[in-house]
Amino acid sequence: MQSSDNVEKYRIDKWLFAARFFKTRSLAAEAIDRGRVTVNGQRVKPAKVLAVGDRLIIRNNNYQFEIEVLDLSNKRGSATIAQQLYRETEESRQQREVLAARLKTQPQPFYTKGRPTKRDRREIERFISNHHE
């Protein structure tokens, strides 16, 4: 009976953190709660116990990963160790590369730091007057 008590449980939120898909375990748990992570096609809770061979779909920011669990770990290690925990499908990798290339070609969003300064305002007025002639 004691041997079953010593078996370590590999929760999906801890595994996603250890595999470096999320920066914190709480971010991993939040993504699971929001339905951005599925295990074998099913929505799960953060405490779901993972097994080797489970197929995960992880939607993180703009990207989607389709992976197969190869090894279990609750401890976050280096990136090289984390990559040994799973195998990404070839289709998933190709889709991510296409999306990354498409995002790279899009212009960067324009961010301002608030209200224009006097110098900024003069440059804006100069730009507008030069392009409306």
Side-chain angles (χ1 to χ4, degrees), residues 2-3 20 26 30 34 45 51 59 64 68 82 89 91 109:
Q2 282 187 328
S3 63
R20 294 184 165 265
S26 60
E30 185 179 328
R34 291 184 176 187
K45 293 182 178 179
R59 288 183 300 282
Q64 178 170 313
E68 179 184 353
T89 63
E91 306 87 51

PDB file of all heavy atoms in Angstrom, residues 2-3 20 26 30 34 45 51 59 64 68 82 89 91 109:
ATOM      1  N   GLN A   2       1.989   1.247   0.686  1.00  0.00           N
ATOM      2  CA  GLN A   2       2.796   2.446   0.796  1.00  0.00           C
ATOM      3  C   GLN A   2       3.383   2.872  -0.547  1.00  0.00           C
ATOM      4  O   GLN A   2       3.585   4.041  -0.789  1.00  0.00           O
ATOM      5  CB  GLN A   2       3.922   2.246   1.799  1.00  0.00           C
ATOM      6  CG  GLN A   2       3.448   2.350   3.223  1.00  0.00           C
ATOM      7  CD  GLN A   2       4.625   2.309   4.175  1.00  0.00           C
ATOM      8  OE1 GLN A   2       5.633   1.658   3.911  1.00  0.00           O
ATOM      9  NE2 GLN A   2       4.499   3.006   5.290  1.00  0.00           N
ATOM     10  N   SER A   3       3.674   1.933  -1.428  1.00  0.00           N
ATOM     11  CA  SER A   3       4.292   2.270  -2.700  1.00  0.00           C
ATOM     12  C   SER A   3       3.383   3.179  -3.528  1.00  0.00           C
ATOM     13  O   SER A   3       3.856   4.057  -4.236  1.00  0.00           O
ATOM     14  CB  SER A   3       4.651   1.022  -3.492  1.00  0.00           C
ATOM     15  OG  SER A   3       3.468   0.308  -3.800  1.00  0.00           O
ATOM     16  N   ARG A  20       8.290  24.715 -20.004  1.00  0.00           N
ATOM     17  CA  ARG A  20       8.558  26.091 -20.428  1.00  0.00           C
ATOM     18  C   ARG A  20       7.578  26.629 -21.464  1.00  0.00           C
ATOM     19  O   ARG A  20       7.929  27.431 -22.311  1.00  0.00           O
ATOM     20  CB  ARG A  20       9.991  26.233 -20.933  1.00  0.00           C
ATOM     21  CG  ARG A  20      10.998  26.017 -19.828  1.00  0.00           C
ATOM     22  CD  ARG A  20      12.410  26.254 -20.293  1.00  0.00           C
ATOM     23  NE  ARG A  20      13.296  26.387 -19.146  1.00  0.00           N
ATOM     24  CZ  ARG A  20      13.649  27.546 -18.615  1.00  0.00           C
ATOM     25  NH1 ARG A  20      13.231  28.663 -19.117  1.00  0.00           N
ATOM     26  NH2 ARG A  20      14.441  27.571 -17.564  1.00  0.00           N
ATOM     27  N   SER A  26       1.061  29.698 -12.293  1.00  0.00           N
ATOM     28  CA  SER A  26      -0.262  30.318 -12.232  1.00  0.00           C
ATOM     29  C   SER A  26      -0.738  30.736 -13.626  1.00  0.00           C
ATOM     30  O   SER A  26      -1.935  30.651 -13.920  1.00  0.00           O
ATOM     31  CB  SER A  26      -0.273  31.505 -11.270  1.00  0.00           C
ATOM     32  OG  SER A  26       0.645  32.481 -11.681  1.00  0.00           O
ATOM     33  N   GLU A  30      -4.112  29.361 -15.352  1.00  0.00           N
ATOM     34  CA  GLU A  30      -5.094  30.297 -15.911  1.00  0.00           C
ATOM     35  C   GLU A  30      -5.427  29.928 -17.358  1.00  0.00           C
ATOM     36  O   GLU A  30      -6.591  29.947 -17.762  1.00  0.00           O
ATOM     37  CB  GLU A  30      -4.542  31.722 -15.847  1.00  0.00           C
ATOM     38  CG  GLU A  30      -5.528  32.777 -16.286  1.00  0.00           C
ATOM     39  CD  GLU A  30      -4.938  34.173 -16.189  1.00  0.00           C
ATOM     40  OE1 GLU A  30      -4.103  34.422 -15.299  1.00  0.00           O
ATOM     41  OE2 GLU A  30      -5.312  35.011 -17.024  1.00  0.00           O
ATOM     42  N   ARG A  34      -9.092  28.751 -18.862  1.00  0.00           N
ATOM     43  CA  ARG A  34      -9.725  29.472 -19.975  1.00  0.00           C
ATOM     44  C   ARG A  34      -9.916  28.603 -21.216  1.00  0.00           C
ATOM     45  O   ARG A  34     -10.378  29.086 -22.236  1.00  0.00           O
ATOM     46  CB  ARG A  34      -8.900  30.702 -20.337  1.00  0.00           C
ATOM     47  CG  ARG A  34      -8.945  31.753 -19.258  1.00  0.00           C
ATOM     48  CD  ARG A  34      -8.223  32.993 -19.672  1.00  0.00           C
ATOM     49  NE  ARG A  34      -8.370  34.011 -18.633  1.00  0.00           N
ATOM     50  CZ  ARG A  34      -7.952  35.240 -18.765  1.00  0.00           C
ATOM     51  NH1 ARG A  34      -7.379  35.638 -19.885  1.00  0.00           N
ATOM     52  NH2 ARG A  34      -8.115  36.102 -17.790  1.00  0.00           N
ATOM     53  N   LYS A  45      -8.932  20.407 -15.993  1.00  0.00           N
ATOM     54  CA  LYS A  45      -8.636  21.318 -14.891  1.00  0.00           C
ATOM     55  C   LYS A  45      -7.131  21.307 -14.640  1.00  0.00           C
ATOM     56  O   LYS A  45      -6.441  20.357 -15.016  1.00  0.00           O
ATOM     57  CB  LYS A  45      -9.389  20.881 -13.639  1.00  0.00           C
ATOM     58  CG  LYS A  45     -10.893  21.035 -13.776  1.00  0.00           C
ATOM     59  CD  LYS A  45     -11.596  20.642 -12.501  1.00  0.00           C
ATOM     60  CE  LYS A  45     -13.093  20.848 -12.642  1.00  0.00           C
ATOM     61  NZ  LYS A  45     -13.791  20.451 -11.431  1.00  0.00           N
ATOM     62  N   ALA A  51      -0.130  11.760 -18.366  1.00  0.00           N
ATOM     63  CA  ALA A  51       0.528  10.473 -18.583  1.00  0.00           C
ATOM     64  C   ALA A  51       1.345  10.574 -19.869  1.00  0.00           C
ATOM     65  O   ALA A  51       1.042  11.382 -20.746  1.00  0.00           O
ATOM     66  CB  ALA A  51      -0.508   9.366 -18.705  1.00  0.00           C
ATOM     67  N   ARG A  59      -2.723  26.708 -26.859  1.00  0.00           N
ATOM     68  CA  ARG A  59      -2.818  27.991 -27.557  1.00  0.00           C
ATOM     69  C   ARG A  59      -2.226  29.053 -26.636  1.00  0.00           C
ATOM     70  O   ARG A  59      -2.742  29.307 -25.559  1.00  0.00           O
ATOM     71  CB  ARG A  59      -4.270  28.309 -27.911  1.00  0.00           C
ATOM     72  CG  ARG A  59      -4.778  27.440 -29.034  1.00  0.00           C
ATOM     73  CD  ARG A  59      -6.189  27.778 -29.457  1.00  0.00           C
ATOM     74  NE  ARG A  59      -7.188  27.643 -28.401  1.00  0.00           N
ATOM     75  CZ  ARG A  59      -7.691  26.490 -27.994  1.00  0.00           C
ATOM     76  NH1 ARG A  59      -7.275  25.352 -28.511  1.00  0.00           N
ATOM     77  NH2 ARG A  59      -8.603  26.450 -27.051  1.00  0.00           N
ATOM     78  N   GLN A  64      -0.129  28.192 -31.747  1.00  0.00           N
ATOM     79  CA  GLN A  64      -0.760  26.966 -31.270  1.00  0.00           C
ATOM     80  C   GLN A  64       0.245  25.826 -31.409  1.00  0.00           C
ATOM     81  O   GLN A  64       0.865  25.666 -32.459  1.00  0.00           O
ATOM     82  CB  GLN A  64      -2.016  26.657 -32.083  1.00  0.00           C
ATOM     83  CG  GLN A  64      -2.685  25.361 -31.651  1.00  0.00           C
ATOM     84  CD  GLN A  64      -4.045  25.182 -32.285  1.00  0.00           C
ATOM     85  OE1 GLN A  64      -4.837  26.097 -32.294  1.00  0.00           O
ATOM     86  NE2 GLN A  64      -4.304  24.006 -32.808  1.00  0.00           N
ATOM     87  N   GLU A  68       3.014  15.855 -28.165  1.00  0.00           N
ATOM     88  CA  GLU A  68       2.825  14.573 -27.495  1.00  0.00           C
ATOM     89  C   GLU A  68       3.767  14.542 -26.296  1.00  0.00           C
ATOM     90  O   GLU A  68       4.948  14.890 -26.422  1.00  0.00           O
ATOM     91  CB  GLU A  68       3.151  13.426 -28.443  1.00  0.00           C
ATOM     92  CG  GLU A  68       2.995  12.066 -27.799  1.00  0.00           C
ATOM     93  CD  GLU A  68       3.417  10.937 -28.723  1.00  0.00           C
ATOM     94  OE1 GLU A  68       3.710  11.189 -29.898  1.00  0.00           O
ATOM     95  OE2 GLU A  68       3.479   9.793 -28.239  1.00  0.00           O
ATOM     96  N   ALA A  82      13.746  20.805 -20.999  1.00  0.00           N
ATOM     97  CA  ALA A  82      12.315  20.999 -21.228  1.00  0.00           C
ATOM     98  C   ALA A  82      11.907  20.452 -22.596  1.00  0.00           C
ATOM     99  O   ALA A  82      10.833  19.867 -22.737  1.00  0.00           O
ATOM    100  CB  ALA A  82      11.957  22.472 -21.121  1.00  0.00           C
ATOM    101  N   THR A  89       4.248  17.987 -33.240  1.00  0.00           N
ATOM    102  CA  THR A  89       3.948  17.395 -34.540  1.00  0.00           C
ATOM    103  C   THR A  89       4.511  18.273 -35.653  1.00  0.00           C
ATOM    104  O   THR A  89       4.674  19.485 -35.489  1.00  0.00           O
ATOM    105  CB  THR A  89       2.426  17.237 -34.751  1.00  0.00           C
ATOM    106  OG1 THR A  89       1.823  18.533 -34.740  1.00  0.00           O
ATOM    107  CG2 THR A  89       1.802  16.355 -33.677  1.00  0.00           C
ATOM    108  N   GLU A  91       3.146  19.119 -38.516  1.00  0.00           N
ATOM    109  CA  GLU A  91       2.162  20.096 -39.008  1.00  0.00           C
ATOM    110  C   GLU A  91       2.123  21.315 -38.103  1.00  0.00           C
ATOM    111  O   GLU A  91       2.034  22.450 -38.568  1.00  0.00           O
ATOM    112  CB  GLU A  91       0.752  19.483 -39.083  1.00  0.00           C
ATOM    113  CG  GLU A  91       0.624  18.210 -39.882  1.00  0.00           C
ATOM    114  CD  GLU A  91       0.910  16.964 -39.057  1.00  0.00           C
ATOM    115  OE1 GLU A  91       0.333  16.788 -37.966  1.00  0.00           O
ATOM    116  OE2 GLU A  91       1.748  16.166 -39.507  1.00  0.00           O
ATOM    117  N   PRO A 109       3.163  47.795 -34.367  1.00  0.00           N
ATOM    118  CA  PRO A 109       2.150  48.760 -33.936  1.00  0.00           C
ATOM    119  C   PRO A 109       2.802  50.049 -33.448  1.00  0.00           C
ATOM    120  O   PRO A 109       3.894  50.025 -32.880  1.00  0.00           O
ATOM    121  CB  PRO A 109       1.419  48.047 -32.795  1.00  0.00           C
ATOM    122  CG  PRO A 109       2.273  46.893 -32.414  1.00  0.00           C
ATOM    123  CD  PRO A 109       3.182  46.588 -33.553  1.00  0.00           C
TER     124      PRO A 109
END
